[in-house]
PDB file of all heavy atoms in Angstrom:
ATOM      1  N   THR A  52      -4.800  14.842   1.573  1.00 90.00           N
ATOM      2  CA  THR A  52      -4.899  14.684   0.133  1.00 90.00           C
ATOM      3  C   THR A  52      -6.065  13.793  -0.262  1.00 90.00           C
ATOM      4  O   THR A  52      -6.831  14.096  -1.166  1.00 90.00           O
ATOM      5  CB  THR A  52      -3.574  14.087  -0.455  1.00 90.00           C
ATOM      6  OG1 THR A  52      -2.532  14.995  -0.128  1.00 90.00           O
ATOM      7  CG2 THR A  52      -3.640  13.910  -1.919  1.00 90.00           C
ATOM      8  N   GLN A  55      -9.402  15.720   0.533  1.00 95.00           N
ATOM      9  CA  GLN A  55      -9.627  16.814  -0.432  1.00 95.00           C
ATOM     10  C   GLN A  55     -10.027  16.232  -1.787  1.00 95.00           C
ATOM     11  O   GLN A  55     -10.939  16.739  -2.446  1.00 95.00           O
ATOM     12  CB  GLN A  55      -8.391  17.689  -0.614  1.00 95.00           C
ATOM     13  CG  GLN A  55      -8.596  18.835  -1.559  1.00 95.00           C
ATOM     14  CD  GLN A  55      -9.703  19.800  -1.173  1.00 95.00           C
ATOM     15  OE1 GLN A  55      -9.832  20.191  -0.004  1.00 95.00           O
ATOM     16  NE2 GLN A  55     -10.587  20.116  -2.097  1.00 95.00           N
ATOM     17  N   GLY A  56      -9.393  15.157  -2.200  1.00 95.00           N
ATOM     18  CA  GLY A  56      -9.771  14.497  -3.434  1.00 95.00           C
ATOM     19  C   GLY A  56     -11.167  13.962  -3.379  1.00 95.00           C
ATOM     20  O   GLY A  56     -11.973  14.124  -4.355  1.00 95.00           O
ATOM     21  N   LEU A  57     -11.562  13.339  -2.274  1.00 96.00           N
ATOM     22  CA  LEU A  57     -12.935  12.863  -2.111  1.00 96.00           C
ATOM     23  C   LEU A  57     -13.921  14.020  -2.148  1.00 96.00           C
ATOM     24  O   LEU A  57     -15.014  13.899  -2.765  1.00 96.00           O
ATOM     25  CB  LEU A  57     -13.097  12.085  -0.813  1.00 96.00           C
ATOM     26  CG  LEU A  57     -12.727  10.603  -0.868  1.00 96.00           C
ATOM     27  CD1 LEU A  57     -12.793   9.995   0.509  1.00 96.00           C
ATOM     28  CD2 LEU A  57     -13.640   9.858  -1.832  1.00 96.00           C
ATOM     29  N   ASN A  59     -13.596  16.935  -3.666  1.00 96.00           N
ATOM     30  CA  ASN A  59     -13.710  17.384  -5.038  1.00 96.00           C
ATOM     31  C   ASN A  59     -14.545  16.426  -5.881  1.00 96.00           C
ATOM     32  O   ASN A  59     -15.374  16.811  -6.666  1.00 96.00           O
ATOM     33  CB  ASN A  59     -12.318  17.530  -5.669  1.00 96.00           C
ATOM     34  CG  ASN A  59     -11.521  18.688  -5.079  1.00 96.00           C
ATOM     35  OD1 ASN A  59     -12.067  19.553  -4.408  1.00 96.00           O
ATOM     36  ND2 ASN A  59     -10.212  18.649  -5.346  1.00 96.00           N
ATOM     37  N   ARG A  60     -14.238  15.168  -5.734  1.00 95.00           N
ATOM     38  CA  ARG A  60     -14.951  14.104  -6.466  1.00 95.00           C
ATOM     39  C   ARG A  60     -16.433  14.170  -6.185  1.00 95.00           C
ATOM     40  O   ARG A  60     -17.267  14.072  -7.090  1.00 95.00           O
ATOM     41  CB  ARG A  60     -14.358  12.762  -6.082  1.00 95.00           C
ATOM     42  CG  ARG A  60     -14.572  11.659  -7.015  1.00 95.00           C
ATOM     43  CD  ARG A  60     -13.730  10.435  -6.549  1.00 95.00           C
ATOM     44  NE  ARG A  60     -14.147   9.233  -7.255  1.00 95.00           N
ATOM     45  CZ  ARG A  60     -13.795   8.026  -6.910  1.00 95.00           C
ATOM     46  NH1 ARG A  60     -12.994   7.811  -5.868  1.00 95.00           N
ATOM     47  NH2 ARG A  60     -14.218   6.981  -7.600  1.00 95.00           N
ATOM     48  N   VAL A  63     -18.107  17.307  -7.873  1.00 96.00           N
ATOM     49  CA  VAL A  63     -18.237  17.218  -9.307  1.00 96.00           C
ATOM     50  C   VAL A  63     -19.126  16.047  -9.763  1.00 96.00           C
ATOM     51  O   VAL A  63     -19.935  16.190 -10.696  1.00 96.00           O
ATOM     52  CB  VAL A  63     -16.841  17.163  -9.969  1.00 96.00           C
ATOM     53  CG1 VAL A  63     -16.945  16.954 -11.488  1.00 96.00           C
ATOM     54  CG2 VAL A  63     -16.076  18.443  -9.666  1.00 96.00           C
ATOM     55  N   LEU A  64     -18.962  14.884  -9.144  1.00 95.00           N
ATOM     56  CA  LEU A  64     -19.673  13.701  -9.604  1.00 95.00           C
ATOM     57  C   LEU A  64     -20.923  13.404  -8.779  1.00 95.00           C
ATOM     58  O   LEU A  64     -21.759  12.580  -9.183  1.00 95.00           O
ATOM     59  CB  LEU A  64     -18.757  12.510  -9.578  1.00 95.00           C
ATOM     60  CG  LEU A  64     -17.535  12.541 -10.502  1.00 95.00           C
ATOM     61  CD1 LEU A  64     -16.707  11.310 -10.388  1.00 95.00           C
ATOM     62  CD2 LEU A  64     -17.929  12.839 -11.921  1.00 95.00           C
ATOM     63  N   PHE A  83      -6.210   1.612  -6.871  1.00 94.00           N
ATOM     64  CA  PHE A  83      -6.585   2.418  -8.013  1.00 94.00           C
ATOM     65  C   PHE A  83      -7.556   3.518  -7.589  1.00 94.00           C
ATOM     66  O   PHE A  83      -7.409   4.680  -8.018  1.00 94.00           O
ATOM     67  CB  PHE A  83      -7.204   1.555  -9.120  1.00 94.00           C
ATOM     68  CG  PHE A  83      -7.609   2.332 -10.318  1.00 94.00           C
ATOM     69  CD1 PHE A  83      -6.672   2.776 -11.220  1.00 94.00           C
ATOM     70  CD2 PHE A  83      -8.939   2.619 -10.562  1.00 94.00           C
ATOM     71  CE1 PHE A  83      -7.035   3.500 -12.340  1.00 94.00           C
ATOM     72  CE2 PHE A  83      -9.326   3.329 -11.654  1.00 94.00           C
ATOM     73  CZ  PHE A  83      -8.388   3.800 -12.584  1.00 94.00           C
ATOM     74  N   GLN A  84      -8.520   3.197  -6.739  1.00 93.00           N
ATOM     75  CA  GLN A  84      -9.458   4.205  -6.252  1.00 93.00           C
ATOM     76  C   GLN A  84      -8.715   5.322  -5.497  1.00 93.00           C
ATOM     77  O   GLN A  84      -8.995   6.481  -5.660  1.00 93.00           O
ATOM     78  CB  GLN A  84     -10.504   3.561  -5.291  1.00 93.00           C
ATOM     79  CG  GLN A  84     -11.541   2.740  -6.002  1.00 93.00           C
ATOM     80  CD  GLN A  84     -12.471   3.634  -6.813  1.00 93.00           C
ATOM     81  OE1 GLN A  84     -12.840   4.713  -6.419  1.00 93.00           O
ATOM     82  NE2 GLN A  84     -12.895   3.114  -7.960  1.00 93.00           N
ATOM     83  N   ARG A  85      -7.743   4.921  -4.695  1.00 93.00           N
ATOM     84  CA  ARG A  85      -6.949   5.925  -3.966  1.00 93.00           C
ATOM     85  C   ARG A  85      -6.134   6.769  -4.930  1.00 93.00           C
ATOM     86  O   ARG A  85      -5.976   7.959  -4.757  1.00 93.00           O
ATOM     87  CB  ARG A  85      -6.039   5.239  -2.943  1.00 93.00           C
ATOM     88  CG  ARG A  85      -6.777   4.662  -1.798  1.00 93.00           C
ATOM     89  CD  ARG A  85      -5.840   3.986  -0.796  1.00 93.00           C
ATOM     90  NE  ARG A  85      -6.555   3.345   0.282  1.00 93.00           N
ATOM     91  CZ  ARG A  85      -6.330   2.130   0.729  1.00 93.00           C
ATOM     92  NH1 ARG A  85      -5.341   1.395   0.212  1.00 93.00           N
ATOM     93  NH2 ARG A  85      -7.042   1.634   1.708  1.00 93.00           N
ATOM     94  N   LEU A  86      -5.559   6.124  -5.963  1.00 93.00           N
ATOM     95  CA  LEU A  86      -4.759   6.812  -6.946  1.00 93.00           C
ATOM     96  C   LEU A  86      -5.566   7.897  -7.659  1.00 93.00           C
ATOM     97  O   LEU A  86      -5.168   9.068  -7.713  1.00 93.00           O
ATOM     98  CB  LEU A  86      -4.189   5.859  -7.995  1.00 93.00           C
ATOM     99  CG  LEU A  86      -3.497   6.504  -9.169  1.00 93.00           C
ATOM    100  CD1 LEU A  86      -2.130   7.030  -8.774  1.00 93.00           C
ATOM    101  CD2 LEU A  86      -3.388   5.522 -10.324  1.00 93.00           C
ATOM    102  N   ILE A  87      -6.722   7.546  -8.188  1.00 93.00           N
ATOM    103  CA  ILE A  87      -7.523   8.520  -8.921  1.00 93.00           C
ATOM    104  C   ILE A  87      -8.065   9.609  -8.002  1.00 93.00           C
ATOM    105  O   ILE A  87      -8.179  10.759  -8.403  1.00 93.00           O
ATOM    106  CB  ILE A  87      -8.608   7.879  -9.797  1.00 93.00           C
ATOM    107  CG1 ILE A  87      -9.646   7.144  -8.952  1.00 93.00           C
ATOM    108  CG2 ILE A  87      -8.055   7.002 -10.857  1.00 93.00           C
ATOM    109  CD1 ILE A  87     -10.872   6.672  -9.697  1.00 93.00           C
ATOM    110  N   THR A  88      -8.358   9.217  -6.753  1.00 94.00           N
ATOM    111  CA  THR A  88      -8.872  10.234  -5.795  1.00 94.00           C
ATOM    112  C   THR A  88      -7.843  11.255  -5.445  1.00 94.00           C
ATOM    113  O   THR A  88      -8.102  12.462  -5.383  1.00 94.00           O
ATOM    114  CB  THR A  88      -9.436   9.523  -4.560  1.00 94.00           C
ATOM    115  OG1 THR A  88     -10.454   8.617  -4.923  1.00 94.00           O
ATOM    116  CG2 THR A  88      -9.943  10.525  -3.551  1.00 94.00           C
ATOM    117  N   THR A  89      -6.592  10.818  -5.278  1.00 94.00           N
ATOM    118  CA  THR A  89      -5.545  11.767  -4.893  1.00 94.00           C
ATOM    119  C   THR A  89      -4.902  12.445  -6.125  1.00 94.00           C
ATOM    120  O   THR A  89      -4.685  13.655  -6.112  1.00 94.00           O
ATOM    121  CB  THR A  89      -4.456  11.077  -4.062  1.00 94.00           C
ATOM    122  OG1 THR A  89      -3.895   9.974  -4.787  1.00 94.00           O
ATOM    123  CG2 THR A  89      -5.010  10.581  -2.735  1.00 94.00           C
ATOM    124  N   TYR A  90      -4.640  11.693  -7.164  1.00 94.00           N
ATOM    125  CA  TYR A  90      -3.946  12.229  -8.330  1.00 94.00           C
ATOM    126  C   TYR A  90      -4.864  13.085  -9.175  1.00 94.00           C
ATOM    127  O   TYR A  90      -4.595  14.277  -9.411  1.00 94.00           O
ATOM    128  CB  TYR A  90      -3.354  11.071  -9.135  1.00 94.00           C
ATOM    129  CG  TYR A  90      -2.520  11.496 -10.325  1.00 94.00           C
ATOM    130  CD1 TYR A  90      -1.443  12.343 -10.185  1.00 94.00           C
ATOM    131  CD2 TYR A  90      -2.833  11.025 -11.597  1.00 94.00           C
ATOM    132  CE1 TYR A  90      -0.684  12.736 -11.261  1.00 94.00           C
ATOM    133  CE2 TYR A  90      -2.077  11.399 -12.710  1.00 94.00           C
ATOM    134  CZ  TYR A  90      -0.993  12.256 -12.508  1.00 94.00           C
ATOM    135  OH  TYR A  90      -0.232  12.630 -13.608  1.00 94.00           O
ATOM    136  N   ALA A  91      -5.974  12.501  -9.638  1.00 94.00           N
ATOM    137  CA  ALA A  91      -6.875  13.260 -10.509  1.00 94.00           C
ATOM    138  C   ALA A  91      -7.676  14.268  -9.708  1.00 94.00           C
ATOM    139  O   ALA A  91      -7.721  15.462 -10.012  1.00 94.00           O
ATOM    140  CB  ALA A  91      -7.809  12.324 -11.270  1.00 94.00           C
ATOM    141  N   TRP A  92      -8.357  13.768  -8.659  1.00 95.00           N
ATOM    142  CA  TRP A  92      -9.346  14.601  -7.974  1.00 95.00           C
ATOM    143  C   TRP A  92      -8.764  15.600  -6.983  1.00 95.00           C
ATOM    144  O   TRP A  92      -9.382  16.609  -6.699  1.00 95.00           O
ATOM    145  CB  TRP A  92     -10.406  13.764  -7.328  1.00 95.00           C
ATOM    146  CG  TRP A  92     -11.277  13.124  -8.358  1.00 95.00           C
ATOM    147  CD1 TRP A  92     -11.243  11.803  -8.759  1.00 95.00           C
ATOM    148  CD2 TRP A  92     -12.243  13.757  -9.188  1.00 95.00           C
ATOM    149  NE1 TRP A  92     -12.125  11.613  -9.797  1.00 95.00           N
ATOM    150  CE2 TRP A  92     -12.759  12.814 -10.040  1.00 95.00           C
ATOM    151  CE3 TRP A  92     -12.701  15.065  -9.242  1.00 95.00           C
ATOM    152  CZ2 TRP A  92     -13.744  13.115 -11.009  1.00 95.00           C
ATOM    153  CZ3 TRP A  92     -13.666  15.378 -10.192  1.00 95.00           C
ATOM    154  CH2 TRP A  92     -14.173  14.409 -11.040  1.00 95.00           C
ATOM    155  N   ASP A  93      -7.550  15.366  -6.501  1.00 95.00           N
ATOM    156  CA  ASP A  93      -6.916  16.422  -5.691  1.00 95.00           C
ATOM    157  C   ASP A  93      -5.825  17.139  -6.454  1.00 95.00           C
ATOM    158  O   ASP A  93      -5.898  18.345  -6.676  1.00 95.00           O
ATOM    159  CB  ASP A  93      -6.339  15.839  -4.386  1.00 95.00           C
ATOM    160  CG  ASP A  93      -5.753  16.942  -3.500  1.00 95.00           C
ATOM    161  OD1 ASP A  93      -6.346  18.028  -3.431  1.00 95.00           O
ATOM    162  OD2 ASP A  93      -4.686  16.742  -2.932  1.00 95.00           O
ATOM    163  N   SER A  94      -4.821  16.430  -6.951  1.00 94.00           N
ATOM    164  CA  SER A  94      -3.685  17.083  -7.585  1.00 94.00           C
ATOM    165  C   SER A  94      -4.068  17.876  -8.825  1.00 94.00           C
ATOM    166  O   SER A  94      -3.485  18.926  -9.113  1.00 94.00           O
ATOM    167  CB  SER A  94      -2.631  16.045  -8.003  1.00 94.00           C
ATOM    168  OG  SER A  94      -2.081  15.435  -6.848  1.00 94.00           O
ATOM    169  N   ILE A  95      -5.068  17.440  -9.568  1.00 95.00           N
ATOM    170  CA  ILE A  95      -5.467  18.156 -10.755  1.00 95.00           C
ATOM    171  C   ILE A  95      -6.705  19.031 -10.558  1.00 95.00           C
ATOM    172  O   ILE A  95      -6.685  20.239 -10.793  1.00 95.00           O
ATOM    173  CB  ILE A  95      -5.724  17.182 -11.951  1.00 95.00           C
ATOM    174  CG1 ILE A  95      -4.447  16.410 -12.264  1.00 95.00           C
ATOM    175  CG2 ILE A  95      -6.262  17.921 -13.183  1.00 95.00           C
ATOM    176  CD1 ILE A  95      -3.253  17.248 -12.639  1.00 95.00           C
ATOM    177  N   TRP A  96      -7.793  18.481 -10.031  1.00 95.00           N
ATOM    178  CA  TRP A  96      -9.024  19.220  -9.871  1.00 95.00           C
ATOM    179  C   TRP A  96      -8.923  20.324  -8.800  1.00 95.00           C
ATOM    180  O   TRP A  96      -9.753  21.231  -8.765  1.00 95.00           O
ATOM    181  CB  TRP A  96     -10.193  18.303  -9.592  1.00 95.00           C
ATOM    182  CG  TRP A  96     -10.701  17.608 -10.840  1.00 95.00           C
ATOM    183  CD1 TRP A  96     -10.171  16.508 -11.435  1.00 95.00           C
ATOM    184  CD2 TRP A  96     -11.818  17.962 -11.632  1.00 95.00           C
ATOM    185  NE1 TRP A  96     -10.864  16.149 -12.540  1.00 95.00           N
ATOM    186  CE2 TRP A  96     -11.904  17.029 -12.682  1.00 95.00           C
ATOM    187  CE3 TRP A  96     -12.797  18.971 -11.559  1.00 95.00           C
ATOM    188  CZ2 TRP A  96     -12.905  17.086 -13.663  1.00 95.00           C
ATOM    189  CZ3 TRP A  96     -13.780  19.033 -12.519  1.00 95.00           C
ATOM    190  CH2 TRP A  96     -13.837  18.086 -13.561  1.00 95.00           C
ATOM    191  N   SER A  97      -7.925  20.278  -7.976  1.00 95.00           N
ATOM    192  CA  SER A  97      -7.710  21.347  -6.965  1.00 95.00           C
ATOM    193  C   SER A  97      -6.851  22.488  -7.481  1.00 95.00           C
ATOM    194  O   SER A  97      -6.694  23.516  -6.794  1.00 95.00           O
ATOM    195  CB  SER A  97      -7.070  20.773  -5.692  1.00 95.00           C
ATOM    196  OG  SER A  97      -7.947  19.959  -5.015  1.00 95.00           O
ATOM    197  N   ARG A  98      -6.226  22.324  -8.612  1.00 95.00           N
ATOM    198  CA  ARG A  98      -5.347  23.369  -9.140  1.00 95.00           C
ATOM    199  C   ARG A  98      -6.120  24.643  -9.443  1.00 95.00           C
ATOM    200  O   ARG A  98      -7.250  24.584  -9.873  1.00 95.00           O
ATOM    201  CB  ARG A  98      -4.625  22.868 -10.405  1.00 95.00           C
ATOM    202  CG  ARG A  98      -3.625  21.770 -10.116  1.00 95.00           C
ATOM    203  CD  ARG A  98      -2.938  21.304 -11.400  1.00 95.00           C
ATOM    204  NE  ARG A  98      -2.267  22.389 -12.046  1.00 95.00           N
ATOM    205  CZ  ARG A  98      -1.057  22.863 -11.715  1.00 95.00           C
ATOM    206  NH1 ARG A  98      -0.409  22.362 -10.669  1.00 95.00           N
ATOM    207  NH2 ARG A  98      -0.516  23.867 -12.374  1.00 95.00           N
ATOM    208  N   ARG A 103     -13.742  24.742 -12.344  1.00 96.00           N
ATOM    209  CA  ARG A 103     -14.255  23.366 -12.424  1.00 96.00           C
ATOM    210  C   ARG A 103     -15.063  23.139 -13.724  1.00 96.00           C
ATOM    211  O   ARG A 103     -14.970  22.069 -14.344  1.00 96.00           O
ATOM    212  CB  ARG A 103     -15.117  23.053 -11.228  1.00 96.00           C
ATOM    213  CG  ARG A 103     -14.352  23.014  -9.921  1.00 96.00           C
ATOM    214  CD  ARG A 103     -14.046  21.572  -9.555  1.00 96.00           C
ATOM    215  NE  ARG A 103     -13.212  21.538  -8.413  1.00 96.00           N
ATOM    216  CZ  ARG A 103     -13.676  21.354  -7.165  1.00 96.00           C
ATOM    217  NH1 ARG A 103     -14.943  21.219  -6.933  1.00 96.00           N
ATOM    218  NH2 ARG A 103     -12.820  21.321  -6.150  1.00 96.00           N
ATOM    219  N   ARG A 106     -12.708  22.558 -16.521  1.00 97.00           N
ATOM    220  CA  ARG A 106     -12.133  21.188 -16.404  1.00 97.00           C
ATOM    221  C   ARG A 106     -13.129  20.136 -16.890  1.00 97.00           C
ATOM    222  O   ARG A 106     -12.755  19.215 -17.597  1.00 97.00           O
ATOM    223  CB  ARG A 106     -11.684  20.942 -14.971  1.00 97.00           C
ATOM    224  CG  ARG A 106     -10.463  21.738 -14.566  1.00 97.00           C
ATOM    225  CD  ARG A 106      -9.888  21.274 -13.249  1.00 97.00           C
ATOM    226  NE  ARG A 106      -8.880  22.218 -12.782  1.00 97.00           N
ATOM    227  CZ  ARG A 106      -7.637  22.234 -13.272  1.00 97.00           C
ATOM    228  NH1 ARG A 106      -7.237  21.409 -14.168  1.00 97.00           N
ATOM    229  NH2 ARG A 106      -6.774  23.131 -12.784  1.00 97.00           N
ATOM    230  N   VAL A 110     -12.722  17.497 -19.932  1.00 97.00           N
ATOM    231  CA  VAL A 110     -12.916  16.067 -19.785  1.00 97.00           C
ATOM    232  C   VAL A 110     -13.875  15.546 -20.875  1.00 97.00           C
ATOM    233  O   VAL A 110     -13.600  14.522 -21.480  1.00 97.00           O
ATOM    234  CB  VAL A 110     -13.472  15.715 -18.367  1.00 97.00           C
ATOM    235  CG1 VAL A 110     -13.980  14.290 -18.310  1.00 97.00           C
ATOM    236  CG2 VAL A 110     -12.406  15.937 -17.306  1.00 97.00           C
ATOM    237  N   GLU A 122     -16.803   7.307 -19.477  1.00 97.00           N
ATOM    238  CA  GLU A 122     -16.422   8.494 -18.730  1.00 97.00           C
ATOM    239  C   GLU A 122     -17.116   9.731 -19.284  1.00 97.00           C
ATOM    240  O   GLU A 122     -17.525  10.600 -18.524  1.00 97.00           O
ATOM    241  CB  GLU A 122     -14.890   8.659 -18.775  1.00 97.00           C
ATOM    242  CG  GLU A 122     -14.342   9.624 -17.764  1.00 97.00           C
ATOM    243  CD  GLU A 122     -14.185   9.032 -16.364  1.00 97.00           C
ATOM    244  OE1 GLU A 122     -14.404   7.822 -16.189  1.00 97.00           O
ATOM    245  OE2 GLU A 122     -13.877   9.842 -15.455  1.00 97.00           O
ATOM    246  N   HIS A 126     -19.682  12.202 -17.093  1.00 97.00           N
ATOM    247  CA  HIS A 126     -19.543  13.665 -16.908  1.00 97.00           C
ATOM    248  C   HIS A 126     -20.701  14.427 -17.569  1.00 97.00           C
ATOM    249  O   HIS A 126     -21.051  15.505 -17.075  1.00 97.00           O
ATOM    250  CB  HIS A 126     -18.206  14.149 -17.441  1.00 97.00           C
ATOM    251  CG  HIS A 126     -17.113  13.953 -16.412  1.00 97.00           C
ATOM    252  ND1 HIS A 126     -16.878  14.876 -15.452  1.00 97.00           N
ATOM    253  CD2 HIS A 126     -16.302  12.908 -16.197  1.00 97.00           C
ATOM    254  CE1 HIS A 126     -15.894  14.431 -14.663  1.00 97.00           C
ATOM    255  NE2 HIS A 126     -15.523  13.193 -15.124  1.00 97.00           N
TER     256      HIS A 126
END
Side-chain angles (χ1 to χ4, degrees):
T52 300
Q55 181 59 46
L57 274 175
N59 291 345
R60 201 172 166 193
V63 174
L64 298 180
F83 180 75
Q84 287 290 324
R85 290 179 184 135
L86 172 75
I87 62 173
T88 300
T89 57
Y90 184 56
W92 290 104
D93 183 40
S94 295
I95 299 302
W96 282 80
S97 290
R98 292 180 57 80
R103 294 260 175 97
R106 288 189 190 282
V110 167
E122 195 80 8
H126 278 273

